[in-house]
Amino acid sequence: MKWKCLVTFLLAYGLIGCQSAPFTYNPDGLGQLQLARIQVDQGPRKYASDYLVEIEYIWNEQGQELSGRLPYVSAKYNHLTLSAGVYRIQATCANKQHTGSVEGIFKFSSRHHYRLYCELKKDRHTLGFSVSTHVALKLEVTEP
């Protein structure tokens, strides 16, 4: 009986650990309206080639890792709320066939809303056709 309880607990913990979570970094204690809000592309893929993004790690300008994640155990992030500044973000871009880790350095302003997404890059030509070789992490400003 104890073994079944342990297995059930570990399975439940594993499922929770794989879920995405929000992340807030507000060292100055500013009001929520003064922070930058970053959403990431989530949800069902329309096509097999659509890449979705999950944020793994976040560093500030001083190189300090802010997310405090443990690899393979902690949840990845699907929504960020940050104070204004420059941050380096490492994320996973994945479609139905491929998964890769990408990084980007972005400057966030107060009171702005952003969308973080993975953009497929076509940069090689084979027999006259563009071939996708990698994805890049991109940021765009959205309306609040």
Side-chain angles (χ1 to χ4, degrees):
M1 184 65 172
K2 290 180 184 179
W3 187 78
K4 286 182 182 180
C5 290
L6 178 64
V7 169
T8 304
F9 174 76
L10 291 175
L11 285 174
Y13 183 75
L15 290 175
I16 291 168
C18 294
Q19 300 296 316
S20 295
F23 175 80
T24 301
Y25 179 67
N26 187 5
D28 300 327
L30 301 172
Q32 287 294 316
L33 295 176
Q34 303 213 347
L35 300 175
R37 296 183 180 276
I38 302 96
Q39 291 288 120
V40 298
D41 278 349
Q42 295 289 327
R45 296 173 180 93
K46 295 178 188 170
Y47 308 104
S49 61
D50 287 349
Y51 280 85
L52 298 180
V53 61
E54 286 185 311
I55 298 169
E56 296 178 315
Y57 300 100
I58 303 143
W59 293 269
N60 63 10
E61 290 178 90
Q62 293 77 31
Q64 178 185 19
E65 201 266 316
L66 305 174
S67 52
R69 283 188 72 248
L70 298 173
Y72 309 110
V73 178
S74 301
K76 295 179 181 178
Y77 303 109
N78 62 2
H79 176 84
L80 302 176
T81 307
L82 304 169
S83 58
V86 176
Y87 297 90
R88 181 171 59 122
I89 296 174
Q90 179 180 330
T92 300
C93 289
N95 67 9
K96 290 186 178 181
Q97 299 170 342
H98 306 285
T99 300
S101 185
V102 294
E103 286 188 9
I105 298 175
F106 304 103
K107 181 178 181 178
F108 299 109
S109 300
S110 295
R111 301 180 184 190
H112 283 78
H113 291 235
Y114 300 92
R115 180 177 76 99
L116 193 64
Y117 63 97
C118 294
E119 182 179 76
L120 191 61
K121 296 288 188 178
K122 294 183 182 265
D123 60 356
R124 249 185 15 202
H125 295 278
T126 303
L127 301 173
F129 297 101
S130 285
V131 177
S132 303
T133 58
H134 65 280
V135 293
L137 200 56
K138 295 289 185 168
L139 184 73
E140 73 177 6
V141 178
T142 61
E143 294 296 320

